[in-house]
Every structure is written in structure tokens, then in C-alpha cells.
Amino acid sequence: HRHHKSQDGSDLYIQISVYKTQVRDQQVMFAVSSDITQRIKAEEEKNQLQEQLNQIQKLESIGQLAGGIAHDFNNQLAGIMGYAEMLNPKLDDETLIHYANKIRQGVQNGAKLTQQLLSFARKGQYSLEIMDLHDILNETEDILSRTIDKRIEIIQARNVPSPTIRGDRHQIQNAILNIALNARDAIQGSGTITLESNLIDLDKKYKDHPVDLQAGKYIALTIKDDGMGMDAAVQKHIFEPFFTTKEFGKGTGMGLPAAYGTVRHHGGDLFVDSAPQRGSVFHILLPYTEEEYKKQPKGLEPIVMAVKDSRILIVDDDESIRDLLSKLLKNIGYRVYQAEDGKKGLTTYLDNREEIDLIILDMIMPNQGGEELYYSLQKINPKVKIILSSGYSNKDNSISNIVDQGTPFIQKPYSLGKLSKVVAEILGKE
């Protein structure tokens, strides 16, 4: 094999095969020269795509582990948050009230971490709304401008008149901000960060990336910096949870993994082009929608008192959750039954089906899971009222199949106001 450069500077691979044969009484040697450039390039491309596919599969496996940890942690946070909320209004001592508020604040901070893990695992809580991507870029630039070195210039290149997408605004904003903050940290001294949006029409793949995307229009957002860049070894790990090249105390290693999970969950893709001392370009692809964008007002949810004289069955394998929900619901006027697993839940319902008006059903339980119990209850009483609950979100496969049929869902940890509102809405419906 010989590696050469052709006249236009491209790679040229030549294979020279030497043969020896007998011609009459003499031995003859001759050489055959073959152009194998296309074969070599095809093998290189195949190996590159296989490496990318292996990396994606590795991220999927890590995501399953991260999602399981986040689910179990959310169960614990739900109990802590609930008891702190119930404790707060019963206190008169300002110091104790301050302690209770600190507990709630700690739970909220913990919930943010689990949300990042669930985002990476693509099992995060997502609300669907129409949003303008340029609004999010403006907010990102505003946050960056307050924390960035004055020698770093932020440039926006808007090439889409109305870049509307559908998804969770908070999660999308966090994903873009996390990437932009990494771009900021990669620049030493002066430099530029460019946020550019374009509208593209895709078939199945983008730049030979192996992730399958639905055919259609996408908003392609690139976040480019002229910082230190990354070598190939670092690029293989940047989307793995807790991997970071930053000094201790300056990064958790969850920003990019959470961004990756968020973008993939929204039906898009995220990847990077980078090299040492040449900066980095992060490519974000998100499905474009032509639906009209309207800003949605948001308000607080107060605790809603009981609807009529209603009775509720709580089915959850976590004793602290059952105890918490039981106390809360009794305090606002409901009567409560409890069951520690799906099997006991079914028995309790059969024994008291004329009394029970609503079931709050945890999805992950021993003996009989929430999904299996749900369908068993549906066979017994197709009109039974059920609220699903889980440390995963309503996008988890076993949950989404049921939620898509119209069954309400609430993710742990939740505020008492939110729970009481959902309960009241369900019981208020004839």
C-alpha cells in the first residue's frame, strides 16, 4: 500500500501487487497497480460511524442507570418536601420557620439535580408549549452578559424570521445556557461566542451523524466559541454524567449531559465539532413548528380543600409517601385508604369499591406494578378515577402509554398545592 497526495491535494491510496510466474523456461515478476482510494475512504467512514454509534449506545446505557438513581432519589425528596410544607404553617418560632424553609430549599436544589439526571436519561418532566427560540437566546445572552469577561463578545446571527419550536421552555433554556456557559469558560482572555440560528430541511440524517431524525424542518442552532477546544479523547466523554475537565468546585459535569438528554427527548440532536486550540461548535437541532407562539401566564397554586365527602386510596410502596399523603388529604377533608403494593391495592379496592372515589397510584412497586394494577382496575371498573404518580415523568414508556389515554399524572416531588388541585379537578368531574 502507498499513500500519496493527488494534484488537487486530496488523499490517494495505491495498492501495488507483485506476482511471480513461469513463462516457458524463465521466471517472470510483474506488478499491478490499483487505485483503492474509495475502498480505504469507505472503510474509514464505516469505522467512524461505528465509533459514533458505540458512543450513542454507551450514553443510552449510562442514561438508564442515571434515570433509575434519579427516580429513587425523587421518592425520598417527595417525602421530605411534603413534611416540610406541612410543618411550616404550624410553627410560630421564626427560627424554626427559617429551618423549615431551608429544608424546602434543599429539597428544591436536590430536585434540580435529579431533573438533570432525568433529562439525560430522557425521562424528565416536560410541559409542552410553543416558544420562540430567539426569546430564549435573548435571555441566554442577558445571563451571560452579567457573568462574562468584558473582553468576550457575544454575537447573534438570526437567520430565521420566526424560529418556533414545541417543548419545555425551562429545559430548552437550561440546555442552551449550559452550552453557552461552557463556551464562556473555554475562552481564556478575549474572544467571541456566536449564537446562530438557521432553518434546515432534513431527510433522515445530518452530516452523516448516525442518530435517526424524523424527516422535516428543523431549527439548527450553533453555539460557536474560539476557545481552547477539545481533543478527540475528551469529546468521547463530554455527554457522560459527572465527566468534567474543570477544576474541583467549578463544575459538576451535568450541564452537557442534561443538555444532550433534553435535546434528544425533544426529537432533536446535539453534537460537537472541536479541535485543540481551534475552538468548539455545538450543533443543536430541534424540530420546527409553524404553530403560533403566545406567551403563557403562570401563577402559584394554593391548597384546594376537599371536594364533597370523598374517599381516596393511596397505593405506594414507600411508607413515608403513604403517611405523608394520608396526613395531607385528611387535613384538607378527605377520607383515606392505604396499600403498600399493587396486590394489596387491588384487594383493598375490591373490598371497598363502593366507598373509594379516587386512587393515587405509584407506578414502580413490588408484587404488582402500577401499570399492571391500572389495567386490572380498568377491567373491574372502566370508570374508576386514577391519578398516576412516579419519580419518573409522564414521558416514561410505561407511563406515557396510559397518560396518552387521558389519565392524569403528577411527578414526584410535587408541592401539596399542586397535588390538591389535581385531586380536586378529578373529583369535581362527573
Side-chain angles (χ1 to χ4, degrees), residues 9 18 35 84 86 94 97 177 197 212 221 254 279 310 323 325 359 402 427 429:
V18 180
D35 184 345
M86 291 181 66
E94 289 296 329
I97 293 174
L177 181 59
S197 63
D212 285 336
L221 171 64
M254 276 308 303
S310 301
D323 185 59
L325 291 181
I359 302 170
I402 301 175
L427 291 175
K429 294 178 181 178

Side-chain angles (χ1 to χ4, degrees), residues 8-39:
D8 62 2
S10 61
D11 290 320
L12 184 65
Y13 295 91
I14 302 297
Q15 176 177 284
I16 301 173
S17 304
V18 180
Y19 300 88
K20 184 169 83 170
T21 186
Q22 186 82 18
V23 178
R24 296 180 181 175
D25 297 332
Q26 296 183 343
Q27 285 190 344
V28 177
M29 296 182 67
F30 63 95
V32 177
S33 176
S34 304
D35 184 345
I36 59 169
T37 304
Q38 294 302 318
R39 192 187 82 190

Side-chain angles (χ1 to χ4, degrees), residues 78-97:
I80 299 170
M81 176 180 282
Y83 281 116
E85 286 191 12
M86 291 181 66
L87 180 64
N88 197 287
K90 297 180 181 296
L91 299 174
D92 296 323
D93 188 309
E94 289 296 329
T95 301
L96 296 180
I97 293 174

Side-chain angles (χ1 to χ4, degrees), residues 62-74 117-118 121 123 392:
I62 297 173
Q64 291 181 6
L65 175 61
I69 293 172
H71 168 270
D72 292 345
F73 194 37
N74 271 345
L117 287 168
L118 287 173
K123 293 184 177 182
Y392 288 136

